[in-house]
Amino acid sequence: MRPSGRAPDQMRPITIEPNFTRHAEGAVLIGFGDTKVLVTASVEEKVPPFLRGKGEGWVTAEYGMLPRATHTRGSREAAKGKQSGRTQEIQRLIGRSLRIVTDLKLLGERQITLDCDVIQADGGTRTAAISGAWVALRLAVNKLMADGKLAQDPIRQKVAAVSCGIYEGTPVLDLDYPEDSSCHADGNFVLLENGHIAEVQATAEGATYDEEELLRLLRLARIGCTDIFAAQARAIA
Amino acid sequence: MRPSGRAPDQMRPITIEPNFTRHAEGAVLIGFGDTKVLVTASVEEKVPPFLRGKGEGWVTAEYGMLPRATHTRGSREAAKGKQSGRTQEIQRLIGRSLRIVTDLKLLGERQITLDCDVIQADGGTRTAAISGAWVALRLAVNKLMADGKLAQDPIRQKVAAVSCGIYEGTPVLDLDYPEDSSCHADGNFVLLENGHIAEVQATAEGATYDEEELLRLLRLARIGCTDIFAAQARAIA
Amino acid sequence: MRPSGRAPDQMRPITIEPNFTRHAEGAVLIGFGDTKVLVTASVEEKVPPFLRGKGEGWVTAEYGMLPRATHTRGSREAAKGKQSGRTQEIQRLIGRSLRIVTDLKLLGERQITLDCDVIQADGGTRTAAISGAWVALRLAVNKLMADGKLAQDPIRQKVAAVSCGIYEGTPVLDLDYPEDSSCHADGNFVLLENGHIAEVQATAEGATYDEEELLRLLRLARIGCTDIFAAQARAIA
Amino acid sequence: MRPSGRAPDQMRPITIEPNFTRHAEGAVLIGFGDTKVLVTASVEEKVPPFLRGKGEGWVTAEYGMLPRATHTRGSREAAKGKQSGRTQEIQRLIGRSLRIVTDLKLLGERQITLDCDVIQADGGTRTAAISGAWVALRLAVNKLMADGKLAQDPIRQKVAAVSCGIYEGTPVLDLDYPEDSSCHADGNFVLLENGHIAEVQATAEGATYDEEELLRLLRLARIGCTDIFAAQARAIA
Amino acid sequence: MRPSGRAPDQMRPITIEPNFTRHAEGAVLIGFGDTKVLVTASVEEKVPPFLRGKGEGWVTAEYGMLPRATHTRGSREAAKGKQSGRTQEIQRLIGRSLRIVTDLKLLGERQITLDCDVIQADGGTRTAAISGAWVALRLAVNKLMADGKLAQDPIRQKVAAVSCGIYEGTPVLDLDYPEDSSCHADGNFVLLENGHIAEVQATAEGATYDEEELLRLLRLARIGCTDIFAAQARAIA
Amino acid sequence: MRPSGRAPDQMRPITIEPNFTRHAEGAVLIGFGDTKVLVTASVEEKVPPFLRGKGEGWVTAEYGMLPRATHTRGSREAAKGKQSGRTQEIQRLIGRSLRIVTDLKLLGERQITLDCDVIQADGGTRTAAISGAWVALRLAVNKLMADGKLAQDPIRQKVAAVSCGIYEGTPVLDLDYPEDSSCHADGNFVLLENGHIAEVQATAEGATYDEEELLRLLRLARIGCTDIFAAQARAIA
């Protein structure tokens, strides 16, 4: 039934390649099938103005898509002179999702920026970005601890994200582009390894949905995130 | 328990003043307690480029907050030269929420823009904006029908929105500013009168939440939206 | 002769509603007929860089028009990414007009920002803004004095403004939109209660004017400002 | 009494050098003493969108100041990415002043742009710009007529401008920078050769002024403009 | 002598991975040692306005660097709202270099955009970009020919680029970052396979250079480009 | 053979008018034939952030072209809200060229900004700008030394620049606009009086060039710069 032939509760292959580039404190190329996102974690020993002198750190994210990551070329945001509403919405979501698993007091007065750049897009770029960002953050924090800059681990939990939607009447896990562009409802779920929820964004597209469908999407998301948590564990092993 | 003394499932007073200004095809001042949003619906007999010649209409929204709608003055977005990520996120949400209840083919090749300007803010500006925008849209469509420009009503349903959150451990309905700024989880729910869901955006702030809490927030939202649908009905009567 | 049936030297009804919103130190909704402007005065305990450490305060203004304040929807300046020349010209005029009646040394090292947002436009928005801004400033200064932050009143005078023009050959007071868009000459007069002039901006539109006409416009402005000063006095009573 | 030793009603030397550059249809370097403005008139055989197909032309102006035209270097507007409110206010004034003496129907569907760039500033740059712009416009229209593109002269009148102000209690003509920066009131007067007024902008700076002072400034402006009209006539002879 | 231990006339390993991403008509990941640039070629069946209706095509380039491609994080140009002068200079150079080997008339009314995004930087990003862009262009043109959209090959020649500089007194080939940041003169050479020169940009940094040194740099560039031409040939084989 | 009738190795008349404007510490109007560039040198007793506290100075440049410096009017960069890539490329080149002849340590913690504004363009504006900027810099440094602010001269050498190109098969010196717009290769050469090279930028336009042609262009540039050095010497005498 699905264009890819996957079962409704089947993720695409998850690939996580740590240390894909060498300058960043943490770097990972994450793939959910043909969706490929390069995430780097950059540590800076300063915090944004609103946090100065408060003894707390900050975790933030920026998101971008290479102009030809998509089927047809999109214009370059740097050339247009501004980031789209979609870009800003996504990078705010990524930042929130990583902050919720980080103890900012334990991090100390430093900032970690997660740059998520989509190299190739096939649906689910924001959820792949969040899932990869956790690995990049983990690698960067490991380095801070190995360098003796952090005594205690500020990361409390694993976090992962996946999109689910109702495609031709059936709730399915991990939408790819053909599904994403024609599904009736589309949810992004950000979950913690302990089962808690960090964020649900479930949007009707074309048709609204009911409470039962919301719960079925959430259950699919739990299945997918279990796979992602395992892949994250392998990547940092 | 709540700073305002309200019961957990109690909305603030909902006020809807139709025709608050005179030039727009639809105009309403909506209040959720001290949150006041002026919404106008402007009809233009043209559609955005991507829809030209397709025989379909468009409904879109813009959102703004007067600099001193808030406790301390915020800078004016027009003076800064760009809309914040928050503003763009909100106006995209408003637009989606109104499009989901509109049959764009029945609307014909015209655009209705919902301008939502926050005159005074006390939490829940985006949900008040959505709830008021439906009334403004309804008034504008009524005018198109009265003028003979539309034979069939393109509005399928009422739509309303409300925020709920977990405040000091208790799920509460219709967060005001003191609650909004200290709650542990914060959800915006956009619901249809038939009980269907248009959008759920539930975000952990400080602490994550579980599935049971998500459902309790959703149930509170249903209670609140029932009140809003009634207020909308009175406003257009 | 006038579209509204008013006598040449007749103002539209002046309405001033103090405390229209609650967060600002001063807030007023002023109406010149169907022109409605919300003005808030925000006090900040800091001054712009060029005044730091000089023991003087600053009074400044910002002006905006809601997109559908007008007959047809105008584009939102925040979305376009810049304020028009007209907007900047008007907010500079408002700022100058209020500074001329304020003793900036007595104000001390603080800034008062007057945000003038046009809710509904029917000609004369800048003159209504100036006239309302004085009331908002007065309310904010009263609050500073009541709070013991100011020992001496820095406001020296009332200031008001009105537009006059030559409409179908006749000088008329307080142009509304139909008059404004077809008059031959159009002047904005900013006057003090003691009869002095703060600013004259008299522009030929379509036809030039002579000295006698300039003086007749000025005399009409005096008549109008007398009414406005009285309305200001009632508002702060 | 005046820093320059001039009599109160004495203009600075007016110099007008036509054809200062060679590409423009009209070009002039105008000097009011040490204030030097290069004005070019560029003819384009198209009109702005709002005039297309109406059989009318347009006259518009742009204004700029070289970064080191002034005593201390100002930042370059092109580098800052926007024109200041002052710049926009001035270029709108110049455009209006030239349009009021042009019969736009006779001009036909073409646009003339007056670029006014201040090479050296010593007060009165906007009034020198208007006065020089008339000569550049005259030269460009002469060329259109010589080329057979215009049968009838669309320029109705000469227009000139000068600033006057109250300096140390005395009304004086043609303020230079030392006067401009310390005068109590400052007016820009745009006058036609037939004595009519195109624009008065008289602003209190530090102290307000009365009707008698306004009239004395206007009379000084008439004296100054007589000199400018003569210089304009010599320049195009 | 060189930090990397290379001989003065020795290139870093050149790696070219064609089809690195799948949506673009041509895509390649090129590496000059640790410098890695992803280049995609996007074909659009339209030309920029200045070429419309002239029967000619266009080849253009855009360049970007991921924020953490470098040793310390640079700010994201999309977030800053503009491309730096350096970025614009580089993308203009890439575009010129590819146009010079393309017969734009044979290309027909279509545009090929070469997006060059630096994934990891270690000196020589612009020269790697040009060298990789040729392969991406070749792949895209091959596809156009295979699809029957082009009868004749519009690519006339191979083009490649390499940087050379005077490092501690010795002319060396293919500067890496440690060399680039401390060399006395730095040249970028864009060469054709037939030995002709497309562009020389040789800049003194710290110390000027003489004609003999310029020629020695050019000779080194010829050596390096021979290697690059061979790698390009292997990549498209 | 050349449109102007000049010999292949013949410069246009070089005119340098020092002190063309009066506020800047150094100011010059330089002409290469009909190309006229006003260059001012502004001294500020501060350095950019990256140099603060290092005991070194900075020399930088900005470049602009008046809208009607050219045959047809170009749009004003300040009005468009950004500087073109060409503008930024040129001002970076001018800055580098002047820094290479300045001992920044001797200059001390101050910045000299060279504003190069093209009053009239006929090819070679960037090379005229560099050549004139040296004179403006010289005048400003002379003033600093005369004022006792500098004990030792930080300017090491004269620097000049000229463009050469291959026009109808013949290498020619100092391209004017008709040559520039149709030549096959176009080089900008920045040379020191001692014969050393500061910068070569030689670009194929339409056709590539070989090493022999590059050398012939460089030799022509040496001839031209000899003339410019002489003109610079006369200007500061």
Side-chain angles (χ1 to χ4, degrees):
Chain A
M1 181 276 298
R2 302 181 74 173
S4 61
R6 282 186 282 152
D9 61 353
Q10 189 182 348
M11 285 290 292
R12 290 175 286 180
I14 304 165
T15 56
I16 303 183
E17 192 173 339
N19 307 317
F20 186 75
T21 61
R22 35 179 300 182
H23 299 311
E25 284 71 33
V28 70
L29 184 72
I30 187 165
F32 281 11
D34 277 339
T35 289
K36 307 279 185 197
V37 185
L38 173 57
V39 187
T40 58
S42 296
V43 178
E44 288 168 298
E45 296 294 322
K46 61 172 189 190
V47 286
F50 69 91
L51 280 180
R52 271 177 212 150
K54 301 207 173 155
E56 274 184 61
W58 192 242
V59 174
T60 188
E62 294 194 2
Y63 171 92
M65 199 182 273
L66 296 193
R68 195 57 196 279
T70 43
H71 288 78
T72 56
R73 185 176 185 273
S75 57
R76 186 177 289 268
E77 291 188 331
K80 283 196 299 183
K82 64 175 187 175
Q83 293 180 299
S84 71
R86 178 186 173 276
T87 290
Q88 291 187 67
E89 201 170 307
I90 292 174
Q91 63 194 13
R92 283 156 57 91
L93 171 64
I94 301 170
R96 279 198 306 271
S97 299
L98 276 294
R99 277 195 298 278
I100 205 77
V101 294
T102 307
D103 184 320
L104 297 173
K105 282 204 196 308
L106 284 186
L107 182 59
E109 282 210 26
R110 53 174 62 89
Q111 172 167 299
I112 302 185
T113 302
L114 298 154
D115 283 291
C116 305
D117 286 277
V118 180
I119 302 294
Q120 189 173 275
D122 188 36
T125 63
R126 80 189 71 186
T127 56
I130 292 168
S131 303
W134 185 85
V135 180
L137 179 67
R138 180 72 271 171
L139 294 172
V141 167
N142 287 354
K143 189 169 183 315
L144 283 170
M145 295 178 76
D147 293 354
K149 292 185 181 156
L150 273 182
Q152 242 186 303
D153 187 357
I155 302 183
R156 301 173 180 133
Q157 281 275 328
K158 280 208 195 77
V159 68
V162 73
S163 74
C164 304
I166 302 170
Y167 176 72
E168 301 202 347
T170 304
V172 297
L173 172 63
D174 186 27
L175 302 169
D176 56 25
Y177 179 76
E179 291 168 340
D180 191 32
S181 49
S182 69
C183 70
H184 294 154
D186 170 10
N188 292 295
F189 297 86
V190 185
L191 303 179
L192 270 59
E193 203 171 15
N194 67 2
H196 271 223
I197 303 171
E199 183 119 5
V200 171
Q201 292 194 340
T203 303
E205 318 250 3
T208 49
Y209 57 93
D210 62 21
E211 188 169 327
E212 177 54 31
E213 287 169 317
L214 176 64
L215 290 176
R216 291 179 66 189
L217 295 180
L218 175 54
R219 258 160 247 149
L220 285 172
R222 291 195 189 285
I223 294 169
C225 285
T226 304
D227 286 2
I228 303 169
F229 292 129
Q232 289 174 335
R234 284 190 304 271
I236 60 169
Chain B
M1 180 275 301
R2 303 180 73 173
S4 60
R6 280 186 283 152
D9 61 353
Q10 189 182 348
M11 286 289 292
R12 291 174 286 180
I14 304 164
T15 56
I16 304 183
E17 192 174 337
N19 306 316
F20 185 75
T21 60
R22 35 178 300 180
H23 298 311
E25 284 72 34
V28 70
L29 183 73
I30 187 165
F32 281 12
D34 276 338
T35 289
K36 306 279 185 197
V37 185
L38 173 58
V39 187
T40 57
S42 296
V43 179
E44 288 167 297
E45 297 294 323
K46 62 174 188 189
V47 286
F50 69 91
L51 278 181
R52 271 177 210 148
K54 302 208 173 157
E56 273 184 62
W58 192 241
V59 174
T60 188
E62 295 194 1
Y63 171 94
M65 199 182 272
L66 296 193
R68 195 56 195 281
T70 44
H71 288 77
T72 56
R73 187 178 183 271
S75 56
R76 187 177 289 267
E77 291 188 329
K80 282 195 298 183
K82 65 174 185 175
Q83 294 179 299
S84 71
R86 178 185 173 277
T87 291
Q88 292 187 66
E89 201 169 307
I90 292 175
Q91 63 195 12
R92 285 157 55 91
L93 171 63
I94 302 170
R96 280 198 304 272
S97 300
L98 277 293
R99 277 195 298 278
I100 204 77
V101 295
T102 308
D103 185 320
L104 297 173
K105 281 201 196 311
L106 284 186
L107 182 59
E109 282 210 27
R110 53 175 61 88
Q111 171 167 296
I112 301 184
T113 302
L114 297 155
D115 283 291
C116 304
D117 285 277
V118 180
I119 301 294
Q120 189 172 275
D122 187 36
T125 64
R126 80 189 71 185
T127 55
I130 292 168
S131 304
W134 185 85
V135 180
L137 179 67
R138 179 72 272 170
L139 294 172
V141 167
N142 287 355
K143 189 169 183 315
L144 283 170
M145 295 179 76
D147 293 354
K149 291 185 182 157
L150 274 182
Q152 242 185 302
D153 187 356
I155 302 182
R156 300 174 181 132
Q157 281 274 327
K158 280 207 196 77
V159 68
V162 74
S163 75
C164 304
I166 302 170
Y167 176 72
E168 302 202 348
T170 304
V172 297
L173 171 64
D174 187 26
L175 303 169
D176 56 27
Y177 179 77
E179 293 167 338
D180 191 32
S181 50
S182 69
C183 70
H184 294 156
D186 172 9
N188 291 296
F189 297 86
V190 184
L191 304 178
L192 271 57
E193 203 171 16
N194 67 2
H196 271 223
I197 303 171
E199 184 120 4
V200 171
Q201 293 194 340
T203 303
E205 318 249 4
T208 48
Y209 57 93
D210 63 19
E211 188 169 325
E212 178 53 30
E213 287 169 318
L214 175 64
L215 290 176
R216 290 178 67 188
L217 295 180
L218 175 55
R219 258 161 247 150
L220 285 172
R222 290 194 190 286
I223 294 168
C225 284
T226 304
D227 286 3
I228 303 169
F229 292 129
Q232 289 175 335
R234 284 190 304 272
I236 60 170
Chain C
M1 185 272 303
R2 303 180 74 173
S4 60
R6 279 187 284 154
D9 62 353
Q10 190 183 347
M11 286 289 293
R12 291 174 285 180
I14 303 165
T15 56
I16 303 183
E17 194 174 336
N19 307 316
F20 186 74
T21 61
R22 37 178 297 181
H23 298 312
E25 284 71 33
V28 71
L29 182 72
I30 187 166
F32 281 10
D34 277 338
T35 289
K36 306 280 184 196
V37 185
L38 172 58
V39 188
T40 58
S42 296
V43 178
E44 289 167 298
E45 296 294 323
K46 62 174 188 189
V47 285
F50 70 91
L51 279 180
R52 271 177 211 149
K54 301 207 173 155
E56 271 184 64
W58 192 242
V59 174
T60 188
E62 294 194 2
Y63 171 94
M65 199 183 274
L66 297 192
R68 196 55 196 281
T70 43
H71 288 78
T72 57
R73 186 176 185 272
S75 56
R76 188 177 288 266
E77 291 189 330
K80 282 195 300 183
K82 65 175 186 173
Q83 293 179 299
S84 71
R86 178 185 172 276
T87 290
Q88 292 188 66
E89 201 169 308
I90 291 174
Q91 63 194 12
R92 285 157 56 90
L93 171 64
I94 301 170
R96 279 198 305 272
S97 299
L98 275 293
R99 278 195 296 280
I100 205 78
V101 295
T102 308
D103 185 321
L104 298 173
K105 284 203 195 308
L106 284 186
L107 182 58
E109 283 211 24
R110 55 174 61 88
Q111 171 167 298
I112 302 185
T113 301
L114 298 155
D115 284 291
C116 305
D117 286 277
V118 179
I119 301 294
Q120 188 173 277
D122 187 37
T125 64
R126 80 189 69 185
T127 55
I130 292 167
S131 303
W134 185 85
V135 180
L137 178 67
R138 180 71 271 171
L139 294 172
V141 167
N142 287 354
K143 189 169 184 316
L144 283 169
M145 295 179 76
D147 293 354
K149 290 183 182 158
L150 272 182
Q152 242 186 303
D153 187 356
I155 303 183
R156 300 174 180 131
Q157 281 275 328
K158 281 207 195 76
V159 68
V162 73
S163 74
C164 305
I166 301 170
Y167 175 72
E168 301 202 349
T170 303
V172 297
L173 171 63
D174 186 27
L175 302 169
D176 55 27
Y177 179 76
E179 291 167 340
D180 191 30
S181 49
S182 69
C183 71
H184 295 154
D186 171 10
N188 291 296
F189 297 85
V190 184
L191 303 179
L192 271 58
E193 204 172 13
N194 67 3
H196 271 222
I197 303 171
E199 184 121 3
V200 171
Q201 293 194 340
T203 304
E205 317 249 3
T208 48
Y209 58 92
D210 63 20
E211 189 170 326
E212 178 54 31
E213 286 169 318
L214 175 64
L215 291 176
R216 291 178 67 185
L217 295 179
L218 175 55
R219 258 160 249 150
L220 285 172
R222 291 195 189 284
I223 294 169
C225 285
T226 304
D227 286 3
I228 303 169
F229 292 129
Q232 290 174 333
R234 284 190 304 272
I236 61 170
Chain D
M1 182 273 301
R2 304 180 73 173
S4 60
R6 280 186 284 152
D9 62 352
Q10 190 183 347
M11 287 288 293
R12 291 175 286 181
I14 304 164
T15 56
I16 304 183
E17 195 174 334
N19 306 317
F20 185 74
T21 60
R22 35 179 299 182
H23 298 312
E25 284 72 33
V28 70
L29 183 71
I30 188 166
F32 282 9
D34 277 338
T35 289
K36 307 280 184 196
V37 185
L38 173 57
V39 187
T40 58
S42 296
V43 178
E44 289 168 297
E45 297 293 322
K46 62 174 188 189
V47 286
F50 69 92
L51 278 181
R52 271 179 212 149
K54 301 208 174 156
E56 272 184 65
W58 192 243
V59 174
T60 188
E62 295 194 1
Y63 171 93
M65 201 183 272
L66 297 193
R68 195 55 195 281
T70 44
H71 287 77
T72 57
R73 186 176 184 273
S75 57
R76 187 177 289 267
E77 291 189 329
K80 282 195 300 183
K82 66 175 185 174
Q83 294 180 299
S84 71
R86 180 187 171 275
T87 290
Q88 292 187 65
E89 200 169 309
I90 291 175
Q91 62 194 14
R92 284 157 55 91
L93 171 64
I94 302 170
R96 280 197 305 272
S97 300
L98 276 294
R99 278 196 296 280
I100 204 78
V101 294
T102 308
D103 185 320
L104 298 172
K105 283 203 195 307
L106 283 186
L107 182 58
E109 282 211 25
R110 54 174 61 89
Q111 171 166 298
I112 301 184
T113 302
L114 298 155
D115 283 291
C116 305
D117 286 277
V118 179
I119 302 295
Q120 188 174 276
D122 187 36
T125 64
R126 80 189 71 185
T127 54
I130 292 168
S131 303
W134 185 84
V135 180
L137 178 67
R138 180 71 270 169
L139 293 172
V141 167
N142 287 354
K143 190 169 183 315
L144 283 170
M145 294 179 76
D147 293 354
K149 291 184 182 159
L150 273 182
Q152 240 184 306
D153 187 356
I155 302 181
R156 298 174 181 132
Q157 281 275 328
K158 281 207 196 78
V159 68
V162 73
S163 74
C164 305
I166 300 170
Y167 176 72
E168 303 202 346
T170 304
V172 298
L173 171 63
D174 187 27
L175 302 168
D176 54 27
Y177 179 76
E179 291 167 339
D180 191 32
S181 50
S182 69
C183 71
H184 294 156
D186 171 9
N188 291 297
F189 297 86
V190 184
L191 303 179
L192 270 58
E193 204 172 13
N194 66 2
H196 271 223
I197 303 171
E199 184 121 2
V200 171
Q201 293 196 339
T203 304
E205 319 250 3
T208 48
Y209 57 91
D210 64 18
E211 187 170 325
E212 178 53 30
E213 286 168 318
L214 175 64
L215 290 176
R216 290 178 66 186
L217 295 179
L218 175 55
R219 257 160 248 150
L220 285 171
R222 290 194 189 286
I223 293 169
C225 285
T226 304
D227 287 3
I228 303 168
F229 292 129
Q232 289 175 334
R234 284 191 304 272
I236 61 170
Chain E
M1 184 271 302
R2 304 180 72 172
S4 60
R6 280 186 283 153
D9 62 352
Q10 191 183 346
M11 285 290 293
R12 290 174 286 180
I14 304 164
T15 56
I16 303 183
E17 194 174 336
N19 306 318
F20 185 74
T21 60
R22 35 180 298 181
H23 298 312
E25 284 72 33
V28 70
L29 183 72
I30 187 164
F32 282 9
D34 276 339
T35 289
K36 307 279 184 197
V37 185
L38 172 57
V39 188
T40 57
S42 297
V43 178
E44 288 167 298
E45 296 294 323
K46 63 172 186 189
V47 285
F50 69 91
L51 279 180
R52 270 178 211 149
K54 300 209 175 155
E56 273 184 62
W58 192 241
V59 174
T60 188
E62 294 194 1
Y63 171 93
M65 199 182 271
L66 297 193
R68 196 56 195 280
T70 44
H71 288 77
T72 57
R73 187 176 184 273
S75 56
R76 188 177 289 266
E77 291 189 330
K80 283 196 298 183
K82 65 175 186 174
Q83 294 179 298
S84 71
R86 178 186 173 275
T87 291
Q88 292 187 67
E89 201 169 307
I90 291 174
Q91 63 194 13
R92 284 157 54 92
L93 171 63
I94 301 169
R96 279 199 305 271
S97 300
L98 275 294
R99 278 196 296 279
I100 204 77
V101 294
T102 308
D103 184 321
L104 297 172
K105 282 201 195 311
L106 283 186
L107 181 58
E109 283 211 24
R110 54 174 62 88
Q111 171 167 298
I112 301 184
T113 302
L114 297 154
D115 283 292
C116 304
D117 285 278
V118 180
I119 301 295
Q120 188 172 275
D122 187 35
T125 63
R126 80 191 70 185
T127 55
I130 292 168
S131 302
W134 186 84
V135 180
L137 179 67
R138 178 73 272 171
L139 294 172
V141 167
N142 286 354
K143 189 169 183 317
L144 283 170
M145 295 178 75
D147 293 354
K149 291 186 182 157
L150 272 183
Q152 241 186 304
D153 187 357
I155 302 182
R156 299 175 180 132
Q157 281 275 328
K158 280 206 196 77
V159 69
V162 73
S163 75
C164 305
I166 301 170
Y167 176 72
E168 302 203 346
T170 304
V172 297
L173 172 63
D174 187 25
L175 302 169
D176 55 26
Y177 179 77
E179 292 167 339
D180 191 32
S181 50
S182 69
C183 71
H184 294 155
D186 172 8
N188 291 296
F189 297 86
V190 185
L191 303 179
L192 270 58
E193 204 172 15
N194 67 2
H196 271 222
I197 304 171
E199 185 120 3
V200 171
Q201 292 194 340
T203 303
E205 318 249 3
T208 49
Y209 58 92
D210 63 20
E211 188 170 326
E212 178 53 30
E213 287 170 316
L214 176 64
L215 290 176
R216 290 179 66 186
L217 295 180
L218 175 54
R219 258 161 248 151
L220 285 172
R222 290 195 190 285
I223 293 168
C225 285
T226 304
D227 286 3
I228 303 169
F229 291 129
Q232 289 174 334
R234 284 191 303 273
I236 60 169
Chain F
M1 182 273 301
R2 303 180 74 173
S4 60
R6 282 187 282 152
D9 62 353
Q10 190 183 347
M11 288 288 293
R12 290 174 287 180
I14 304 164
T15 56
I16 304 183
E17 194 174 336
N19 306 317
F20 186 73
T21 61
R22 36 179 298 180
H23 299 313
E25 285 71 32
V28 70
L29 183 73
I30 188 166
F32 281 10
D34 276 339
T35 290
K36 307 280 183 197
V37 185
L38 173 58
V39 188
T40 57
S42 296
V43 179
E44 288 168 298
E45 296 293 322
K46 62 174 189 189
V47 286
F50 69 92
L51 280 180
R52 271 179 211 148
K54 301 208 173 154
E56 272 183 64
W58 192 243
V59 174
T60 188
E62 295 194 1
Y63 171 93
M65 200 182 274
L66 297 193
R68 196 54 195 281
T70 43
H71 287 77
T72 57
R73 187 176 183 273
S75 56
R76 187 177 288 266
E77 291 188 330
K80 282 196 298 184
K82 66 176 185 172
Q83 293 179 298
S84 71
R86 179 186 172 276
T87 291
Q88 292 187 68
E89 201 170 308
I90 291 174
Q91 63 194 13
R92 283 157 56 91
L93 171 64
I94 301 170
R96 280 197 306 272
S97 300
L98 275 294
R99 278 195 298 278
I100 204 78
V101 295
T102 307
D103 185 319
L104 297 173
K105 283 202 197 309
L106 284 186
L107 182 58
E109 283 210 25
R110 54 175 61 90
Q111 171 167 296
I112 302 185
T113 301
L114 298 155
D115 283 292
C116 305
D117 286 278
V118 180
I119 301 294
Q120 188 172 277
D122 188 36
T125 64
R126 80 188 70 185
T127 55
I130 292 168
S131 303
W134 185 84
V135 180
L137 178 67
R138 181 70 273 172
L139 294 172
V141 168
N142 287 355
K143 190 169 182 319
L144 283 170
M145 296 179 75
D147 293 353
K149 292 183 180 156
L150 273 182
Q152 242 186 301
D153 187 357
I155 303 182
R156 300 174 180 133
Q157 281 274 328
K158 281 208 195 77
V159 68
V162 73
S163 74
C164 305
I166 301 170
Y167 176 72
E168 302 203 346
T170 303
V172 297
L173 171 63
D174 187 27
L175 302 170
D176 55 27
Y177 178 77
E179 291 167 340
D180 192 31
S181 50
S182 68
C183 71
H184 294 156
D186 171 10
N188 291 296
F189 297 86
V190 184
L191 303 178
L192 270 57
E193 203 172 15
N194 67 1
H196 271 224
I197 303 171
E199 184 121 3
V200 171
Q201 292 194 341
T203 304
E205 318 250 4
T208 49
Y209 57 93
D210 63 21
E211 189 170 326
E212 178 53 31
E213 287 169 317
L214 176 63
L215 290 176
R216 290 178 67 188
L217 294 180
L218 175 54
R219 258 162 249 150
L220 285 172
R222 291 195 190 284
I223 293 169
C225 285
T226 304
D227 286 2
I228 303 169
F229 292 129
Q232 289 174 334
R234 283 191 303 271
I236 60 169

